[in-house]
C-alpha cells in the first residue's frame, strides 16, 4: 500500500475455493508411521539454553552502553519529575594570586579572568542525518556540575546529533534538552566527571565602558579570546524570529562560531551569551550577547518544564494584512484570521475565520512587530479587548466593526 493512503485501501489476495469433495484418481498412499514425540527433559534443556542465550545478549548490550569512553547516552527525564539546577555557582579559590588585579575585590587581570573561566567553555559540533563530518561549529557554557550546557537555539534546531569538546580536550555526546527559538537559547546535557560550571553575573554590575571578554569557538578556532568594552547595556535586539531580546552590545570581535559562547567581566563572571547571528553586517565591531539576567529564567524553564512559562498565546493562525494591501483590496490592516484554536479563550468570542483583528489593547496593528510587542507586554491570564473588522459578502455596506474581549492563554511549546 502506498505510504499515506487512506485506511482500508490495502491489497487483498483472493484464492480459488477448494472443491467440496476432491476427486481421487489413484488409491490413497499408505499412512506414515506416527512421529515420536520428544522427551520432556529435552524440551526443558532447549528452553534453558535459549533463556541463557537471551540473558547473555542483554548483559552484553548493557555493558556496551555503559562502557568507558565519555560518550554515554543520556536517558530522558521522566515526565512530571521536577528538575533542580543550581545556576548560582559560587566563586572558586584561585591558587595563583598573580591572576588578580585586586585580590580584595576579586578583580582579575584579563589573563586571570580568561584562565578562571576557560574550563567552563566548550566547543559545540553539530551533525545532521546526512553528514558524517560536523557541519555546525559553535560554542557553549557549562552551567552546572551535572552537565547542563548553555548555547543558542539557532545552533541546534536542525541537528540530529551534537558533540561537545571541553577545554581539556575531552569529547562527549550531548543530548539536546530543549531550545526556545524566540529567545535564541538552548540547553544541552552531557554526562561527565570533573565539570567546572561558570559563575554567572548580572548586567546590574556592569557600567557602560567596562572591559568585557569573549571566549568561544571563533571560526572553528576553539578557546579564542577577544576583548572589548560594554558599548551599551540592555539593548533591545530582535532575535532571528523577531522576538525582542535584552542584549549587551559590545565592540569585542564576535565571529562565526562564537554563538553560545561567553561574554565575561573582569571578575570572571558570565554576563552574556554571545551570538554572531545578531552582529551588524554593515558596521564594524558591533556585536551582541544575550543578557544573562534575561536568559537565566528561560534556561531554567527549558530544563524544568520543557517550554518557557509565562508566554501568552492568543490562539489564532493569521495572515498579516499590510496598510498597502488593505487599500488595494478594500480591507483593514491587521490580522486576517485563518484558524482559531478551540482550546483557547478567544474561541468563545464572536471572532470568525476571515475576520480581521485591527487593534489589541488599544494598539493599532499596522505591523507584525506591534503584535509581538503586545504579547511580550502581557502574561497568560491577562484580559484584553480587541477591535475586529468583518467585511460584507458583496460590498462595503455589509461590513461592520465590533469589539471582543478575550484572555491570553499560555503557550507551551
Amino acid at each position: 500500500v502506498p505510504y499515506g493512503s487512506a485506511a482500508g485501501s490495502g491489497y487483498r489476495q483472493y484464492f480459488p475455493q477448494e472443491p467440496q469433495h476432491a476427486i481421487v484418481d489413484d488409491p490413497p498412499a499408505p499412512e506414515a508411521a506416527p512421529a515420536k514425540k520428544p522427551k520432556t527433559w529435552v524440551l526443558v534443556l532447549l528452553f534453558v539454553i535459549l533463556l541463557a542465550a537471551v540473558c547473555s545478549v542483554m548483559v552484553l548490550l548493557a555493558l556496551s552502553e555503559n562502557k568507558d569512553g565519555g560518550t554515554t547516552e543520556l536517558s530522558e527525564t521522566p515526565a512530571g519529575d521536577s528538575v533542580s539546577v543550581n545556576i548560582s555557582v559560587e566563586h572558586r579559590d584561585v591558587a595563583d594570586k598573580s591572576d588578580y588585579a585586586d585580590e580584595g575585590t576579586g578583580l582579575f587581570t584579563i589573563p586571570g579572568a580568561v584562565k578562571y573561566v576557560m574550563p567552563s567553555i566548550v566547543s559545540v559540533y553539530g551533525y545532521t542525518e546526512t553528514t558524517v563530518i560536523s557541519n555546525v561549529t559553535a560554542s557553549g557554557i557549562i552551567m552546572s556540575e551535572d552537565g547542563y550546557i548553555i548555547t543558542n537555539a539557532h545552533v541546534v534546531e536542525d541537528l540530529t546529533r551534537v558533540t561537545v569538546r571541553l577545554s581539556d580536550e575531552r569529547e562527549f555526546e550531548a543530548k539536546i534538552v530543549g531550545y526556545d527559538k524566540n529567545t535564541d537559547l538552548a540547553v544541552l546535557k552531557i554526562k561527565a566527571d570533573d565539570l567546572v560550571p561558570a559563575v554567572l553575573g548580572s548586567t546590574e554590575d556592569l557600567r557602560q565602558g567596562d572591559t568585557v571578554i569573549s571566549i568561544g569557538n571563533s571560526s572553528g578556532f576553539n578557546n579564542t579570546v577577544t576583548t572589548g568594552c560594554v558599548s551599551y547595556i540592555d539593548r533591545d535586539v530582535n532575535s532571528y524570529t523577531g522576538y525582542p531580546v535584552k542584549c549587551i552590545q559590545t565592540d569585542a570581535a564576535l565571529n562565526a562560531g562564537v554563538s553560545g559562547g561567553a561574554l565575561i567581566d573582569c571578575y570572571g563572571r558570565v554576563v552574556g551569551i554571545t551570538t554572531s547571528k545578531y552582529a551588524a553586517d554593515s558596521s564594524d565591531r558591533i556585536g551582541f550577547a544575550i543578557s544573562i539576567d534575561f536568559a537565566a529564567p528561560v534556561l531554567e524553564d527549558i530544563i524544568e518544564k520543557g517550554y518557557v512559562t509565562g508566554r501568552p498565546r492568543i490562539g489564532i493562525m493569521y495572515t498579516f494584512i499590510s496598510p498597502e494591501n488593505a487599500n488595494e483590496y478594500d480591507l483593514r490592516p491587521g490580522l486576517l484570521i485563518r484558524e482559531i484554536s478551540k482550546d483557547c479563550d478567544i474561541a468563545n468570542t464572536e471572532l470568525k475565520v476571515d475576520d480581521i483583528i485591527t487593534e489589541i489593547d488599544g494598539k493599532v496593528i499596522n505591523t507584525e512587530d506591534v503584535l509581538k510587542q503586545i504579547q511580550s507586554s502581557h502574561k497568560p491570564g491577562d484580559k484584553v479587548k480587541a477591535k475586529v473588522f468583518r467585511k460584507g459578502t458583496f460590498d462595503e455596506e455589509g461590513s461592520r466593526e465590533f469589539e471582543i474581549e478575550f484572555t491570553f492563554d499560555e503557550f507551551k511549546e
Side-chain angles (χ1 to χ4, degrees):
V1 182
Y3 181 78
S5 298
S9 61
Y11 297 116
R12 180 182 298 170
Q13 289 183 320
Y14 293 92
F15 297 94
Q17 292 186 352
E18 293 183 0
Q20 296 292 328
H21 301 282
I23 299 174
V24 181
D25 294 327
D26 298 316
E31 292 185 6
K36 292 183 179 179
K37 294 183 179 180
K39 294 184 179 180
T40 304
W41 69 267
V42 176
L43 293 175
V44 172
L45 180 61
L46 290 173
F47 176 78
V48 171
I49 293 172
L50 179 61
L51 182 61
V54 170
C55 291
S56 299
V57 171
M58 292 177 66
V59 170
L60 287 172
L61 287 174
L63 289 173
S64 64
E65 288 177 356
N66 293 283
K67 64 182 179 180
D68 294 332
T71 58
T72 305
E73 186 177 348
L74 297 162
S75 60
E76 297 286 343
T77 302
D81 285 5
S82 60
V83 180
S84 179
V85 180
N86 178 26
I87 61 173
S88 300
V89 179
E90 296 183 358
H91 269 283
R92 309 182 303 276
D93 291 334
V94 177
D96 189 352
K97 303 305 180 183
S98 65
D99 290 336
Y100 285 114
D102 186 339
E103 186 179 352
T105 62
L107 180 69
F108 285 107
T109 63
I110 290 178
V114 171
K115 178 181 174 183
Y116 183 79
V117 178
M118 189 66 77
S120 305
I121 308 302
V122 303
S123 297
V124 176
Y125 301 97
Y127 305 80
T128 60
E129 291 180 350
T130 59
T131 59
V132 176
I133 300 174
S134 63
N135 57 346
V136 171
T137 302
S139 308
I141 308 164
I142 300 172
M143 65 184 294
S144 70
E145 290 182 349
D146 54 349
Y148 286 101
I149 294 172
I150 306 168
T151 190
N152 285 140
H154 75 260
V155 169
V156 303
E157 63 176 327
D158 295 322
L159 301 180
T160 56
R161 177 174 169 251
V162 179
T163 63
V164 299
R165 181 185 298 164
L166 307 188
S167 60
D168 61 11
E169 300 301 319
R170 288 185 294 162
E171 291 194 23
F172 298 89
E173 292 280 341
K175 182 184 77 172
I176 301 173
V177 175
Y179 57 87
D180 178 55
K181 291 192 286 187
N182 282 345
T183 57
D184 196 18
L185 291 168
V187 178
L188 306 174
K189 194 171 192 299
I190 63 173
K191 189 173 182 180
D193 297 325
D194 302 323
L195 294 177
V196 180
V199 177
L200 305 185
S202 172
T203 54
E204 293 180 0
D205 301 323
L206 289 180
R207 298 173 301 170
Q208 199 167 10
D210 275 348
T211 297
V212 284
I213 306 161
S214 167
I215 309 177
N217 195 6
S218 182
S219 298
F221 295 100
N222 63 321
N223 302 338
T224 294
V225 173
T226 61
T227 61
C229 73
V230 175
S231 303
Y232 195 90
I233 302 172
D234 287 338
R235 178 79 75 187
D236 285 323
V237 179
N238 285 343
S239 71
Y240 68 107
T241 64
Y243 190 88
V245 175
K246 289 287 184 184
C247 290
I248 300 167
Q249 182 182 328
T250 180
D251 64 348
L254 303 180
N255 300 307
V258 301
S259 289
L263 188 72
I264 67 171
D265 63 15
C266 286
Y267 291 90
R269 301 172 298 197
V270 175
V271 293
I273 302 161
T274 56
T275 173
S276 60
K277 203 172 184 70
Y278 300 172
D281 295 330
S282 58
S283 303
D284 189 26
R285 299 180 72 84
I286 295 181
F288 298 97
I290 302 169
S291 165
I292 202 67
D293 302 89
F294 176 87
V298 175
L299 297 167
E300 288 180 318
D301 275 349
I302 291 173
I303 294 170
E304 296 178 6
K305 305 288 186 181
Y307 64 93
V308 181
T309 60
R311 186 169 289 166
R313 175 192 180 201
I314 297 176
I316 57 172
M317 296 289 288
Y318 66 90
T319 299
F320 175 68
I321 304 295
S322 67
E324 295 77 17
N325 289 336
N327 289 332
E328 183 178 353
Y329 295 104
D330 195 22
L331 298 171
R332 300 284 189 276
L335 311 177
L336 176 63
I337 306 302
R338 294 301 189 194
E339 186 178 331
I340 303 171
S341 297
K342 294 180 181 180
D343 60 341
C344 290
D345 185 63
I346 199 167
N348 301 320
T349 68
E350 191 182 343
L351 188 71
K352 294 181 179 179
V353 172
D354 293 333
D355 287 345
I356 299 174
I357 297 178
T358 58
E359 291 184 23
I360 297 178
D361 202 25
K363 297 179 177 62
V364 178
I365 304 176
N366 48 21
T367 69
E368 288 190 89
D369 286 340
V370 173
L371 177 62
K372 292 168 184 172
Q373 292 167 5
I374 292 169
Q375 287 182 287
S376 64
S377 63
H378 286 86
K379 61 183 183 297
D382 287 353
K383 276 193 174 183
V384 292
K385 293 182 179 180
K387 288 186 178 180
V388 180
F389 172 77
R390 181 175 294 166
K391 186 173 176 60
T393 306
F394 297 107
D395 51 38
E396 186 67 22
E397 292 181 3
S399 301
R400 69 185 185 98
E401 290 184 287
F402 56 93
E403 191 174 89
I404 62 172
E405 185 178 61
F406 65 93
T407 301
F408 280 111
D409 291 275
E410 186 171 39
F411 189 80
K412 295 184 178 181
E413 295 183 6

